[in-house]
Amino acid sequence: MSKRIVCKFGGSSVADAKQFKKVKSITDANPARKIIVVSAPGKRSPEETKLTDLFYSAYDLAKKSLDYSEPWNMISQRFSEIAQELNLSNAINTELEQINLQLKDKSETLSSDYLASRGEYLNAILIAEYLDAEFIDAFPIISFDDKYRISPNTYNNIAKAIEDESKVYVIPGFYGSDLHGQIKTFSRGGSDITGAILANAIDAALYENWTDVSGMLMADPRIVKDPKPIEYISYREIRELAYSGASVLHDESISPCRAKNIPINIKNTNKPEDYGTIIGPTPQSSKHPITGVAGRKGFSMIYIEKTMMNKEIGFGRRVLAILEYEGLSYELSPSAIDSMNIVVDSKELYAVQESVLENITQQMRPDQLKVFTGISLIATVGHGMTDKIGVAATLFNALADNSINVRIIDQGSSQINIIIGVSESETERAIQSIYKAFIN
Ligand code: ASP
């Protein structure tokens, strides 16, 4: 097996010359760090705009034949500051001029995805020069199929393009090519996915994801004061927590690593000595019965009640078919003997609510049909809870002691997640109570 490590550096890790120097000392510190994936320069301070967003605004303005010089000058300035401070060649100036011309002429090759991808492209050229590494463009090697899934030949293309194990390669994240030979980007934050695909393609020993935090925390620090760090979390646990809003990594970057059991280490570029969080295949015993707690607002619950529902064959299937027909996906469906709850995203429901309710009324003839809005789903996750007695009791006692009304209970069939639904206004208090009950 290959011993190479894939390192992805996020926007804040490559935001300016000072950050480039940190990247160099990190890559120099371990000779196995051979594959470097980079984002576009991110924010240097909270009020600054990411370069990707500046590219999007330049595109929007140019498309409307409006003056795009403001975002464009900011883009050029950020790149030239980096190049100047690090004494790099002016190779990217020609590239910038060309892109500017395409904007001016509104050329045919100009698309929003193309322009947005230029942040990673230009940054990777600069970093490759600074690290004395080989630049490899993502465009010819990462390709999408007609459904915008990664096409199977991508993995072979990558393996071939970066096969020399003695070399250091720098690859821009966030984009590839579509079936028509045009640039196609991943969704926002997608450089994480590029890194994961590269790790899969070369059977990397490890995928290091370098960012500006020292890994994941057991709860959102804006809600819980000084939550404990998560040193280790399994792929399954992170999937459950990420769904509920805890995230430092794009969720689509888990499965390429999971397919090959490649561990992911989230590390802090500004504090490389910190351990960070390892995301790995096997559950590991931890000091605490739970690995983390996270919550997400914005859900609604469709409540359907009908006497003898349990004897009406196909009732659930027909209700879900109505949702399917309206293109509405559901999150959970806890049910009782004569009632069924379907939890859906409030924004998605809003668009089709009237016809969903009308169809349920006509086709299912319920005794009661109601929609409850303003619900939060809170996930308490951990492999540790499967074989421990009293986890659910601790959780519900904590909520009862704090007078928090639980509206939905779902002990996930995954066995590693207890999801509860509370009113949105209780989200923070519920998370605080659960955290405090388990972690001390
Ligand atoms: N630059 C892109 C974004 O801001 C992709 C990334 O950083 O991962 O979303």
Side-chain angles (χ1 to χ4, degrees):
M1 185 165 122
S2 157
K3 290 275 187 300
R4 290 185 286 176
I5 296 174
V6 172
C7 302
K8 178 259 169 177
F9 290 92
S12 58
S13 302
V14 287
D16 57 18
K18 195 175 86 206
Q19 295 302 86
F20 271 44
K21 288 181 186 163
K22 291 181 190 168
V23 170
K24 183 160 167 52
S25 72
I26 289 167
T27 50
D28 285 351
N30 184 346
R33 292 180 176 137
K34 288 267 192 286
I35 317 294
I36 316 299
V37 177
V38 295
S39 282
K43 298 180 185 200
R44 292 172 294 186
S45 61
E47 53 291 335
E48 206 172 39
T49 313
K50 282 172 136 195
L51 250 69
T52 306
D53 293 302
L54 292 174
F55 274 109
Y56 279 123
S57 22
Y59 172 81
D60 289 340
L61 292 166
K63 236 353 206 205
K64 291 181 202 143
S65 303
L66 295 170
D67 178 16
Y68 61 87
S69 59
E70 198 187 319
W72 182 254
N73 291 341
M74 285 161 96
I75 292 168
S76 316
Q77 200 186 333
R78 288 284 297 274
F79 280 124
S80 27
E81 268 173 28
I82 296 176
Q84 266 170 22
E85 277 180 51
L86 300 174
N87 286 325
L88 301 176
S89 69
N90 43 21
I92 65 156
N93 288 356
T94 334
E95 301 269 358
L96 280 165
E97 273 163 29
Q98 224 171 1
I99 302 166
N100 192 11
L101 270 182
Q102 287 169 305
L103 278 168
K104 241 189 220 138
D105 301 347
K106 286 190 252 135
S107 92
E108 263 181 35
T109 47
L110 193 68
S111 70
S112 151
D113 279 17
Y114 166 75
L115 212 67
S117 74
R118 298 302 82 186
E120 303 6 60
Y121 173 78
L122 296 169
N123 215 22
I125 293 178
L126 285 177
I127 293 190
E129 187 184 339
Y130 182 58
L131 298 183
D132 202 9
E134 186 172 328
F135 167 80
I136 302 280
D137 191 5
F139 177 72
I141 54 171
I142 295 183
S143 51
F144 296 93
D145 67 12
D146 57 344
K147 297 206 166 60
Y148 295 118
R149 291 169 308 208
I150 291 297
S151 65
N153 53 354
T154 288
Y155 296 93
N156 279 337
N157 292 345
I158 294 171
K160 257 199 227 127
I162 56 175
E163 67 185 353
D164 188 341
E165 298 198 3
S166 65
K167 279 188 179 168
V168 176
Y169 295 102
V170 178
I171 298 117
F174 192 38
Y175 69 93
S177 55
D178 68 12
L179 279 182
H180 311 288
Q182 302 292 325
I183 292 245
K184 170 83 196 136
T185 59
F186 290 102
S187 55
R188 295 302 302 267
S191 300
D192 283 347
I193 312 173
T194 309
I197 292 170
L198 287 160
N200 175 303
I202 62 152
D203 266 325
L206 176 67
Y207 173 28
E208 287 180 343
N209 194 287
W210 291 87
T211 175
D212 53 5
V213 290
S214 297
M216 292 181 69
L217 298 169
M218 293 184 74
D220 186 337
R222 289 165 300 185
I223 299 175
V224 170
K225 192 164 177 283
D226 295 331
K228 291 199 189 306
I230 300 177
E231 287 192 352
Y232 183 90
I233 184 167
S234 72
Y235 299 133
R236 281 183 60 203
E237 288 171 321
I238 198 170
R239 171 88 188 106
E240 304 270 357
L241 274 181
Y243 165 78
S244 303
S247 178
V248 283
L249 195 73
H250 197 298
D251 18 329
E252 286 171 49
S253 56
I254 305 292
S255 65
C257 292
R258 191 174 180 173
K260 294 247 173 113
N261 283 345
I262 299 165
I264 305 169
N265 192 182
I266 301 176
K267 296 278 286 175
N268 189 345
T269 304
N270 307 316
K271 287 185 185 169
E273 62 290 351
D274 284 3
Y275 184 81
T277 298
I278 300 265
I279 305 164
T282 41
Q284 274 188 7
S285 57
S286 89
K287 287 190 270 247
H288 311 289
I290 68 166
T291 303
V293 51
R296 194 147 74 110
K297 297 181 180 176
F299 294 100
S300 294
M301 184 166 76
I302 307 172
Y303 172 79
I304 310 167
E305 192 184 305
K306 188 172 185 186
T307 312
M308 304 301 286
M309 181 189 284
N310 63 325
K311 295 280 181 235
E312 197 173 321
I313 291 171
F315 190 93
R317 180 187 56 74
R318 279 158 51 221
V319 171
L320 295 181
I322 295 173
L323 267 60
E324 184 183 358
Y325 179 76
E326 298 290 349
L328 185 62
S329 64
Y330 75 100
E331 313 293 328
L332 307 171
S333 177
S335 55
I337 298 173
D338 282 341
S339 68
M340 184 174 176
N341 288 304
I342 308 169
V343 181
V344 295
D345 183 287
S346 298
K347 273 199 218 103
E348 285 181 29
L349 174 65
Y350 187 71
V352 290
Q353 179 162 333
E354 215 173 293
S355 66
V356 166
L357 297 187
E358 200 180 295
N359 279 318
I360 295 177
T361 309
Q362 277 174 11
Q363 294 177 40
M364 313 310 299
R365 305 256 163 240
D367 301 331
Q368 264 205 73
L369 176 62
K370 285 188 198 155
V371 173
F372 298 93
T373 55
I375 291 174
S376 268
L377 293 181
I378 293 169
T380 305
V381 174
H383 285 286
M385 65 170 69
T386 43
D387 49 11
K388 272 202 188 76
I389 293 169
V391 172
T394 306
L395 191 149
F396 290 109
N397 282 336
L399 296 167
D401 290 348
N402 288 285
S403 317
I404 296 166
N405 184 20
V406 178
R407 321 228 343 231
I408 303 166
I409 301 173
D410 188 277
Q411 162 123 44
S413 47
S414 67
Q415 295 278 313
I416 62 164
N417 190 359
I418 299 176
I419 298 178
I420 55 150
V422 298
S423 147
E424 278 178 349
S425 58
E426 305 271 42
T427 314
E428 286 76 13
R429 273 191 341 108
I431 292 174
Q432 286 154 357
S433 317
I434 295 170
Y435 182 86
K436 209 164 138 210
F438 288 104
I439 315 298
N440 35 48

